[in-house]
Amino acid sequence: MINLNKWKKIVYYLCEFLLAISLFIIILLFILKITILSPNYIINKMQENNYYEQVYKSLEKEMPNYIIQSGLPKEVLEDIYTKEEIKKELDKYIKALYQGRAEKINTKNIEEKLSKNIDNYFNENNIRITEKESIDKFILQIADIYKTEIIQSDSILKMQDFIPKINFMVNIIIGIIIFISIILVFIIKYVLKNNIKSISFLTVAFLLLISYFFIKESIDIKNLIILTDYFSTLVKSILNQILNNIRNSAIILIIISIIKITIDNLIKKKKEIKIIKIEE
């Protein structure tokens, strides 16, 4: 038969282990919540990686390829969009994506400006418009290129159905695990009359470091290519930030554990000295 003290020890270590797992999950979910599940974080990362500038440059490079087929001069493409308009559309698109809304990219302005530039070109050179249908097709083609550069892929657009649900589930899971953690702390402190050991924090740190190295070895972030170069750069930056957050969390927990071990040892020594003095 296992006596009461042994049962208490088993329950205590089980609670410590479950608390470590709970803290590990909370930290990982929190890191996801403040990074890839946050529209503001994505927008800040886009700004940090000059994403808007890269989209603008890509459009400047891509659109002239279509002007040759139309027979129109490059000048008709001048000032049909600005970096500020690109930023506005991208930010609006990202926020809508995270809210689960299907936000259409506004191409009306670019179509109107391009149409006006073409009309001015024909008027200035006394050219009569004979192929209105071809010109309209060209305008829509340019507008479609603009939209594609903003959206990047229809697969990203489909994420609007999943991101709000994932965010909701993450919030629910964090809430449940925090509640479980509070119960575990209560059991350790007031039922088992014990303290939370440093080993719990070290276990969490160990699990975080395993996650860090596992992700680093599983994904070749440096050579990762998704859609375009600038989109790949953005994804790499986000993944590296997530890895840094995981690693830094592990380091902080190790430091906390060392401080706690030091304090616990000092308290223990102080008590031992007190006992010795009383005995004397």
Side-chain angles (χ1 to χ4, degrees):
M1 290 283 292
I2 300 175
N3 62 37
L4 190 61
N5 285 335
K6 282 186 178 178
W7 272 115
K8 276 189 174 182
K9 275 187 179 181
I10 291 168
V11 173
Y12 168 72
Y13 285 117
L14 180 62
C15 287
E16 284 272 8
F17 175 73
L18 291 174
L19 184 60
I21 296 297
S22 298
L23 288 172
F24 169 68
I25 295 169
I26 288 169
I27 290 168
L28 283 185
L29 291 178
F30 184 72
I31 287 170
L32 290 178
K33 189 153 182 62
I34 63 170
T35 54
I36 57 173
L37 292 177
S38 167
N40 291 331
Y41 170 83
I42 300 296
I43 288 168
N44 287 336
K45 273 290 172 186
M46 288 164 73
Q47 186 79 46
E48 186 184 303
N49 287 277
N50 294 319
Y51 190 83
Y52 308 108
E53 178 78 24
Q54 295 302 319
V55 171
Y56 181 82
K57 285 180 180 178
S58 181
L59 284 167
E60 292 283 282
K61 189 179 177 181
E62 179 114 10
M63 286 189 177
N65 295 331
Y66 291 85
I67 202 79
I68 298 165
Q69 302 166 22
S70 70
L72 293 166
K74 286 183 182 180
E75 286 71 31
V76 298
L77 295 174
E78 288 179 0
D79 302 322
I80 60 173
Y81 54 86
T82 64
K83 291 175 188 176
E84 288 73 25
E85 286 171 338
I86 289 170
K87 185 181 186 311
K88 185 182 175 183
E89 285 300 319
L90 270 165
D91 291 354
K92 189 173 68 172
Y93 173 66
I94 293 294
K95 286 176 182 176
L97 200 66
Y98 276 78
Q99 290 168 4
R101 292 187 290 107
E103 184 71 38
K104 288 185 178 179
I105 302 301
N106 181 17
T107 59
K108 189 179 177 182
N109 289 339
I110 195 171
E111 287 172 25
E112 287 176 354
K113 288 176 183 178
L114 181 56
S115 181
K116 188 179 177 181
N117 285 354
I118 291 170
D119 287 342
N120 288 340
Y121 167 73
F122 282 132
N123 291 333
E124 286 169 8
N125 292 276
N126 296 317
I127 300 170
R128 194 174 66 179
I129 300 172
T130 55
E131 295 182 11
K132 184 74 170 74
E133 192 178 327
S134 297
I135 291 168
D136 289 342
K137 190 178 177 182
F138 169 71
I139 291 170
L140 290 174
Q141 192 177 35
I142 292 297
D144 192 56
I145 294 165
Y146 178 79
K147 186 170 70 174
T148 302
E149 287 294 332
I150 300 288
I151 294 174
Q152 285 293 316
S153 170
D154 289 334
S155 299
I156 295 173
L157 193 60
K158 289 174 185 175
M159 288 173 69
Q160 71 186 32
D161 299 325
F162 304 106
I163 293 176
K165 291 176 184 176
I166 293 168
N167 241 324
F168 177 75
M169 285 303 296
V170 166
N171 288 337
I172 294 293
I173 293 166
I174 288 174
I176 291 169
I177 295 175
I178 287 173
F179 179 71
I180 291 168
S181 300
I182 292 168
I183 291 171
L184 290 169
V185 170
F186 180 82
I187 292 168
I188 292 168
K189 292 281 286 182
Y190 300 103
V191 178
L192 301 173
K193 307 291 183 183
N194 215 324
N195 293 319
I196 296 163
K197 305 290 183 187
S198 302
I199 191 68
S200 293
F201 299 113
L202 287 171
T203 302
V204 178
F206 178 69
L207 290 171
L208 287 170
L209 288 173
I210 288 174
S211 303
Y212 171 79
F213 288 112
F214 176 77
I215 295 168
K216 205 166 185 182
E217 289 299 314
S218 301
I219 305 170
D220 185 7
I221 297 174
K222 190 178 179 182
N223 298 309
L224 190 66
I225 298 172
I226 303 173
L227 300 173
T228 58
D229 288 341
Y230 52 89
F231 188 80
S232 298
T233 302
L234 177 65
V235 173
K236 287 177 193 176
S237 178
I238 291 167
L239 287 173
N240 281 322
Q241 182 68 64
I242 290 170
L243 282 174
N244 288 339
N245 287 346
I246 292 171
R247 184 196 59 202
N248 292 341
S249 298
I251 291 167
I252 290 166
L253 284 169
I254 290 167
I255 293 168
I256 289 170
S257 300
I258 293 167
I259 292 169
K260 192 176 186 308
I261 289 167
T262 306
I263 291 169
D264 288 346
N265 285 335
L266 287 171
I267 292 168
K268 191 179 177 183
K269 281 181 181 179
K270 203 173 180 181
K271 283 180 180 177
E272 286 173 354
I273 291 165
K274 251 187 178 181
I275 293 165
I276 292 165
K277 282 183 179 179
I278 291 167
E279 287 175 351
E280 287 175 351

